[in-house]
Amino acid sequence: MDSKLNNYKKRARVRPDGEVKVTGKLKYLTDLSFPQMLCGKILRSSYPHAKIISINTEEALKLSGVKAVVTYRDVPGINGFGLIMPDQPVFCEDKVRYVGDAIAAVAADSLEVAEQALQLIRVEYEALPIVDDPVKALELEAPLLYPDGNVLHRAGYEIGDVNDGFSTCAAVVEETYHVPRQMHAYMETEGGVIVPEANGGITVYVGTQHGYKDRFQLARILAIPEESIRIVSSPIGGSFGGKDELNIQPYGALLALATGVPVKIHNTRKESVIAGIKRHPMQIKMKTGVNAQGKLVAHKVEIVADTGAYSTLGPAILDFAVEHATGPYMIPHVTIDGVSVFTNNGVSGEFRGFGGNQITFALESQIDRLAEKLAIDPVELRRRNIRHATDLGPMGHRIAETDGASYVLEAIARSANENITDGNPDKWKKRGSGIAITMHGGGLGYGRLDPAGGRLSFTKDGKIEIAFGFEEIGQGILAVIQAIVTEEFGCGAKDLSIVIGDTALVPHTGSTTASRGTSMVWLAVQKMKHNFQQQMLGLAAQATGKPAENLVMGEGGIWQQASPELVITYQALAEEGMQEPIVVSTSFDFPTTPDTVDGGHFLYAFAGILAQVEVDLLTGKVKVIGLDQVVSAGPVVNELGYKGQIEGGGVMALGFTLMEDAIMKDGRYLTENLDSYLIPNITDVPINLDVQAIEQLAEGDVYGPRGVGEIGSVGVAPAIVKAIHDATGHWVNQLPVTSEEILQAVSRRGEKQWSKVNQ
């Protein structure tokens, strides 16, 4: 491992975009305005499932100020979109499958006129039976949402013989878990401006996590060359996976081309709730057995995921959940069956954790229940079954050597011994603690297109330009790029020009997803570093007459290697010595397992979590009073950013565990705004949020730091649930945990058992 990595976290760094964000000076894409710009609005379905008998837009077109109304008839290319398969209609023609389906879109002089025009569009429907339960959707008599049925995708894994395994077990736990539909709840809802260009193309100023993929999808819809579409996709006011898929882009593009002027569409929160994707609700059945020595023997898992009306990344999310269903444990007999099911509910898709949060809640809950049955300390049970450095991955595939699972287990065990708050404040409040561990694969996995790369340039204005096809969605990728490049080349932040989020300016380096950003930037810089340095020092040698081997890149310019002497500034080097720009680029695939395991990962991060709660027996309210996380993800690149990701992920998972659920009934959202959908606020966040980084990698590891954008959210739920059990004796199997459930448990157990801690 490059010794420079040891220096990364020692520098106090201010985010490159920090000042403009906290002062409100930064213009997000939804803040943009252009001359002659029109306002766009989208008409969504009135029914979760219905046939469309007719669509009449005549009255809307007559309204003064309306410049265009478009429907399915106006889509010149493929009337569909989707990251894996284009099965979601841009505009529905003969059937709607959820309340977010688009029927028509309007461009008008003002927002008020556009909204009025939507009211004038007449759509005649014939209601169809609603399929709103994924389990019932699998029944033979269930209405079919598609000719091929209601199954989007099946995935599974099997090793050994679970029936034989269970026959030898000393203890078996069987439970069914339910996890909710969670909103991303980003501050900036989906939106932006689409500008028509003179060449017949468009420039799309809309937040996304994969500019080139948006370009590809829009080219199919508009039937124009990809090269005619420019995607400007950064900065973004939050995403967490929710802006990875197309949302308003097709409608703005069609309206801009129809009117010949820029069109702005910005979803209201209600529109965002209805049309945006959510975390997959899942029903997870697990049966897990151990022998008398506390060794896991057999593990049977059945996953039913509600993917909603359309595919987006539903298949990949199910694959990820299946891969992580055994977590960081070695189990000889395993059967995992997963199915992703179409319903008339809102579309489920990519969300921080990507199926790992759901499956980890179930798995770690099983481990804790088994420990209770065997009267074994939960840490010790995990220790007896933990994977070790050279063990195969969770689906029997080869992965990068790592002992991260053991590292985080032992570290969080020490944290529990040192940091648990003893005692209860009064007889009506009980405190408890719980731990959990988890692992999380980075990158898209085996068999998935996962391009990586980057470009380094020395420009005519004397800047070291580094370009990636990434987006800044609040995760801090700009700070990561700055930290890596300045440390690797010894230059200063002012010597850099970072270019991201614009397909006209950046190379194709894959998506801003899957905890891949930090790894990809580091690997790309390593591949470009030597060539770029040699060309820079060679150029300086020509300009100064000094031997290149005696020169080194540094802050402000080229320095004499043996003494603190600035030989030539970058500005002077560009002006005096450069005939043409220096450009070095690299292109490679993100590291993946060499084994043919669909979606199998190669680089993993690990986390251990300690949660402490206080349960109010009179109200049933659960308050998290401590949340510590230990993360093994290789060297820390940016300490503040690292902590921010883990703390932020932990708070998001707190909401997932205790309060968030985008409830649907009969295919309609009951929570259409943040006044009824609760997310954690500052009073819900524990004062004690400790983050510990384990930076050690296996000897000879050449893959550098792993991304931590997701790992901080993955294992929090089971740790909180175990802490609730520690305080109350009640096991929770459904999230979010409700006060009603806690109060019912209090009533069932009786007052005497509850007050025994204070006796």
Side-chain angles (χ1 to χ4, degrees):
M1 180 59 58
D2 194 315
S3 61
K4 287 184 181 293
L5 276 171
N6 297 326
N7 299 324
Y8 280 12
K9 72 172 185 176
K10 296 177 183 176
R11 292 178 182 260
R13 292 184 172 87
V14 176
R15 284 178 58 146
D17 56 345
E19 181 181 347
V20 291
K21 282 187 172 179
V22 299
T23 58
K25 295 176 182 177
L26 180 67
K27 277 190 175 292
Y28 289 91
L29 300 174
T30 48
D31 294 326
L32 299 180
S33 183
F34 292 83
Q36 299 180 287
M37 187 176 75
L38 300 174
C39 296
K41 275 290 181 182
I42 304 164
L43 179 68
R44 304 284 179 178
S45 174
S46 299
Y47 292 83
H49 195 204
K51 290 181 180 178
I52 297 175
I53 306 304
S54 63
I55 303 171
N56 190 323
T57 62
E58 291 179 5
E59 293 302 312
L61 284 166
K62 292 177 183 177
L63 183 65
S64 177
V66 171
K67 303 303 180 184
V69 179
V70 292
T71 67
Y72 70 90
R73 300 180 184 90
D74 303 294
V75 180
I78 295 175
N79 185 21
F81 63 93
L83 283 167
I84 293 179
M85 57 192 83
D87 64 343
Q88 181 165 353
V90 176
F91 290 116
C92 293
E93 178 179 357
D94 53 12
K95 182 183 284 190
V96 293
R97 292 184 174 89
Y98 89 117
V99 291
D101 267 329
I103 309 297
V106 172
D109 288 334
S110 70
L111 194 60
E112 292 75 17
V113 172
E115 290 173 340
Q116 187 179 352
L118 293 187
Q119 302 301 316
L120 296 175
I121 298 173
R122 301 287 176 249
V123 184
E124 184 181 355
Y125 298 94
E126 179 186 317
L128 295 171
I130 298 168
V131 180
D132 63 354
D133 184 320
V135 175
K136 292 181 180 178
L138 295 172
E139 296 174 356
L140 290 176
E141 62 271 22
L144 299 183
L145 301 188
Y146 291 92
D148 293 335
N150 296 336
V151 173
L152 165 63
H153 180 62
R154 292 185 184 274
Y157 174 68
E158 186 169 4
I159 187 172
D161 188 315
V162 290
N163 292 327
D164 286 349
F166 283 123
S167 69
T168 67
C169 289
V172 174
V173 167
E174 190 168 5
E175 186 59 88
T176 300
Y177 301 91
H178 295 88
V179 290
R181 178 180 287 102
Q182 186 182 20
M183 292 187 198
H184 300 79
Y186 24 71
M187 292 178 68
E188 180 196 40
T189 57
E190 306 87 351
V193 184
I194 294 84
V195 179
E197 302 294 354
N199 64 357
I202 54 172
T203 298
V204 181
Y205 297 93
V206 178
T208 179
Q209 292 181 232
H210 199 335
Y212 276 97
K213 193 71 173 182
D214 277 19
R215 192 179 79 162
F216 168 73
Q217 291 211 71
L218 288 172
R220 291 192 303 191
I221 294 166
L222 303 174
I224 62 176
E226 282 191 58
E227 294 73 23
S228 299
I229 302 173
R230 177 189 178 194
I231 308 292
V232 180
S233 51
S234 186
I236 306 173
S239 181
F240 312 110
K243 296 173 184 172
D244 197 22
E245 184 61 91
L246 291 182
N247 188 283
I248 63 97
Q249 295 93 323
Y251 313 106
L254 289 165
L255 289 169
L257 290 173
T259 60
V261 296
V263 174
K264 182 174 189 175
I265 302 178
H266 190 186
N267 282 341
T268 64
R269 182 64 62 179
K270 180 178 178 179
E271 290 166 341
S272 176
V273 169
I274 291 172
I277 59 178
K278 310 291 183 294
R279 189 186 297 281
H280 276 78
M282 291 185 185
Q283 174 186 285
I284 303 170
K285 292 183 178 180
M286 279 191 178
K287 181 179 180 182
T288 313
V290 294
N291 63 23
Q293 292 73 44
K295 296 287 286 185
L296 292 169
V297 175
H299 189 52
K300 183 178 181 181
V301 183
E302 297 176 13
I303 306 167
V304 179
D306 182 355
T307 207
Y310 301 108
S311 302
T312 187
L313 287 182
I317 291 165
L318 181 66
D319 290 344
F320 195 95
V322 167
E323 179 188 355
H324 290 74
T326 57
Y329 306 112
M330 304 305 294
I331 310 175
H333 303 286
V334 177
T335 296
I336 307 167
D337 290 303
V339 58
S340 192
V341 186
F342 287 119
T343 67
N344 294 124
N345 292 326
V347 177
S348 301
E350 38 278 38
F351 197 132
R352 189 182 208 170
F354 210 73
N357 307 53
Q358 297 96 313
I359 201 69
T360 298
F361 164 58
L363 172 64
E364 288 295 281
S365 295
Q366 289 287 97
I367 299 298
D368 285 330
R369 284 162 165 77
L370 285 168
E372 182 186 50
K373 269 202 168 187
L374 290 175
I376 295 176
D377 181 86
V379 171
E380 179 58 29
L381 182 59
R382 288 172 169 86
R383 187 179 287 129
R384 295 180 189 182
N385 294 282
I386 203 78
R387 73 172 314 280
H388 296 295
T390 58
D391 286 335
L392 294 175
M395 296 182 75
H397 59 289
R398 285 170 285 175
I399 68 174
E401 182 178 333
T402 173
D403 216 6
S406 293
Y407 293 159
V408 299
L409 177 62
E410 300 306 327
I412 207 66
R414 288 192 296 272
S415 181
N417 289 333
E418 297 167 2
N419 299 328
I420 289 178
T421 303
D422 293 324
N424 299 304
D426 60 60
K427 72 174 184 176
W428 300 114
K429 291 182 179 178
K430 305 298 181 186
R431 287 179 172 174
S433 62
I435 69 154
I437 62 173
T438 189
M439 64 190 294
H440 192 83
L444 304 187
Y446 181 88
R448 314 282 161 80
L449 294 175
D450 200 3
R455 186 182 68 235
L456 268 168
S457 309
F458 184 54
T459 66
K460 61 184 180 181
D461 57 356
K463 292 289 186 180
I464 298 169
E465 181 184 281
I466 181 80
F468 294 102
F470 279 147
E471 288 78 27
E472 177 57 69
I473 56 178
Q475 83 281 37
I477 194 66
L478 289 171
V480 166
I481 295 169
Q482 183 187 89
I484 290 175
V485 176
T486 55
E487 288 296 337
E488 293 298 331
F489 293 107
C491 58
K494 293 182 179 179
D495 302 322
L496 277 186
S497 173
I498 301 173
V499 182
I500 62 169
D502 187 338
T503 57
L505 303 176
V506 300
H508 192 331
T509 56
S511 61
T512 310
T513 59
S515 299
R516 68 192 293 278
T518 299
S519 296
M520 199 280 284
V521 171
W522 188 84
L523 287 166
V525 171
Q526 301 311 306
K527 292 175 182 293
M528 296 186 288
K529 177 181 173 181
H530 179 73
N531 190 353
F532 187 74
Q533 280 179 325
Q534 293 302 109
Q535 291 193 54
M536 287 291 291
L537 298 180
L539 183 63
Q542 291 178 12
T544 64
K546 296 180 181 293
E549 59 269 23
N550 294 340
L551 302 177
V552 63
M553 291 176 66
E555 189 164 350
I558 306 298
W559 294 69
Q560 187 77 25
Q561 196 169 45
S563 63
E565 177 190 345
L566 180 62
V567 174
I568 187 170
T569 66
Y570 291 126
Q571 182 70 43
L573 183 60
E575 293 173 354
E576 301 171 16
M578 189 168 65
Q579 301 300 315
E580 57 185 35
I582 293 173
V583 179
V584 175
S585 61
T586 184
S587 180
F588 56 96
D589 290 326
F590 192 85
T592 188
T593 179
D595 299 319
T596 55
V597 173
D598 190 29
H601 291 78
F602 185 68
L603 302 179
Y604 290 84
F606 298 82
I609 304 93
L610 167 65
Q612 299 181 69
V613 303
E614 185 176 276
V615 181
D616 189 319
L617 306 185
L618 298 179
T619 65
K621 180 176 175 58
V622 177
K623 182 173 180 59
V624 178
I625 59 174
L627 189 62
D628 298 350
Q629 296 211 55
V630 178
V631 177
S632 176
V636 175
V637 170
N638 179 1
E639 187 173 18
L640 287 177
Y642 190 103
K643 286 184 175 181
Q645 283 292 336
I646 303 305
E647 291 175 356
V651 173
M652 178 173 272
L654 187 156
F656 175 66
T657 309
L658 297 179
M659 57 185 70
E660 296 187 50
D661 189 3
I663 300 170
M664 302 199 76
K665 183 177 181 181
D666 298 328
R668 298 180 187 274
Y669 283 100
L670 301 184
T671 48
E672 294 183 335
N673 207 335
L674 296 183
D675 56 357
S676 56
Y677 182 88
L678 300 181
I679 63 174
N681 62 39
I682 193 64
T683 63
D684 299 304
V685 178
I687 294 174
N688 301 316
L689 281 174
D690 183 67
V691 177
Q692 177 186 342
I694 296 175
E695 301 184 75
Q696 183 177 345
L697 291 175
E699 185 177 351
D701 186 295
V702 297
Y703 303 103
R706 287 30 164 181
V708 295
E710 297 172 278
I711 188 68
S713 72
V714 176
V716 171
I720 293 176
V721 165
K722 177 62 178 75
I724 293 171
H725 175 264
D726 190 44
T728 67
H730 174 64
W731 286 116
V732 170
N733 63 6
Q734 180 165 341
L735 302 181
V737 183
T738 65
S739 298
E740 291 81 2
E741 179 177 354
I742 298 300
L743 289 173
Q744 289 172 6
V746 170
S747 177
R748 286 196 302 268
R749 293 181 64 83
E751 173 64 23
K752 288 184 179 180
Q753 292 188 50
W754 286 87
S755 60
K756 66 181 180 181
V757 177
N758 284 334
Q759 292 176 356

